[in-house]
Structures are given as structure tokens and as C-alpha cells.
Amino acid sequence: EVQLVQSGTEVKKPGESLKISCKGSGYSFTNYWIGWVRQMPGKGLEWMGIIYPGDSDTRYSPSFQGQVTISADKSISTAYLQWSSLKASDTAMYFCARQAAVHWYFDLWGRGTLVTVSS
Amino acid sequence: EIVLTQSPATLSLSPGERATLSCRASQSVSSYLAWFQQKPGQAPRLLIYDASNRATGIPARFSGSGSGTDFTLSISSLEPEDFAVYYCQQRSNSWTFGQGTKVEIK
């Protein structure tokens, strides 16, 4: 089955670091871009950035550049989103998604990882 | 950054009615626009890509049109499972989403 499996719910304190994951299976992981999308509670979708696991080429939205780091380990078909110092405003659901090679939009999504940052 | 503005924010309709959703770009995105559907507690689902192409498995009652700065998603006859939030997204210059339109049951 072609799928993206995301890591589980996280509850962290402000200032802590965090790395969440997204594991692809059922397809050639290195041949498709993987992106991250934020959805704050009750709000819309925000495109954060994207990585090509084949060579780790990474692009960020200006809104998220310097705020998060996107990486990938192609040997285990996993992409990551990480923070060095979380803020309460990072509380959100984070989705990873695969970008289709045919049309360059997200055609396969993970179920999301809920991150709660609270003191 | 290209800003996408969706209207209306909320659309209240009954099953069987036609839904028309709008997405306007702050500058031309050519035909590089997609539509997604999101239901509560679920990930988004791709409906339409490049303005007018239905994604795999999407029913024919969903259609998209437009180019440049003005785009429309139409649902010809609303089914109960179509009540959800719809987002447009452009890929002409990086990628951005609109703020969403909620289609609710009247």
C-alpha cells in the first residue's frame, strides 16, 4: 500500500526541541518531493516547505525559513520536520504530503502529527 | 508571495444544490491552481489540479475552471459527503493556499 505514516502526538514545553517524522512506503521514496503543511487549531492550511529525498534539495516558504528545518533520510524512506526551540504558537497539526511527479501538487497525505506546546 | 483569496468564507446549501466556490490570485498563476477538500479530522484530498483536471477517483460532479487570476470550483449537485472545507492552492511561484471556503448544510 502506498502511504505516508507520521509520528505520533507530541506535547512539549516552550524552548524544547522537537523532530517529527514521515515515513513513505509502497513507492520509490527518493523520486518524489515531500512537503510539510501546518494547520493551526481551527485555521487553514499553510505550505511550509518541501524536500527531494533523492538529493536533499530543500525549499522553504519565506514564512517558515529559519523557523524550522526539513530533512530526509533516504535510507529509511523518512522525512523530518524539526524545531530547535518551540514556541506556543507552534501548536498545530502538521501534515506531510507527497508531491506527484505528474502535476506537482500533493496527491498523497499523511494523517498528521499534532504538536502541542504549552508550559 | 502570491496571495489567494477565496470567497465566500461560508456557503450554506442543501443537498442536491449546485455549489460555486471562487479563488482569486493576487497575480497571474496561469493554470497552476489546485483544489483540495478537507473534512474534520482528516487530511486534505486533492480534487482538481491545473485548474480543470480531476484527480484520480474524483467524481464527475466536481469541476474546475479559470486561468490567470480567477478560478472556480463547481459541485454540480451536492452529496451529503461533500459538506467540507475547500482550499485552493497555487504552484506558479512557490506554493500557497487560500484561506478556505466552508460548505455547510443549510
Side-chain angles (χ1 to χ4, degrees), chain A residues 25-41:
Chain A
S25 61
Y27 73 98
S28 178
F29 186 75
T30 54
N31 291 345
Y32 292 81
W33 291 80
I34 292 285
W36 289 94
V37 174
R38 183 174 79 174
Q39 188 165 39
M40 299 176 76

Side-chain angles (χ1 to χ4, degrees), chain A residues 39 44 47 99 103 105-106 110, chain B residues 32-33 38 43 50 91 95:
Chain A
Q39 188 165 39
W47 190 90
Q99 186 167 276
H103 51 58
Y105 301 97
F106 292 141
Chain B
Y32 300 132
L33 189 109
Q38 188 181 31
D50 287 347
R91 68 169 182 89
W95 291 262

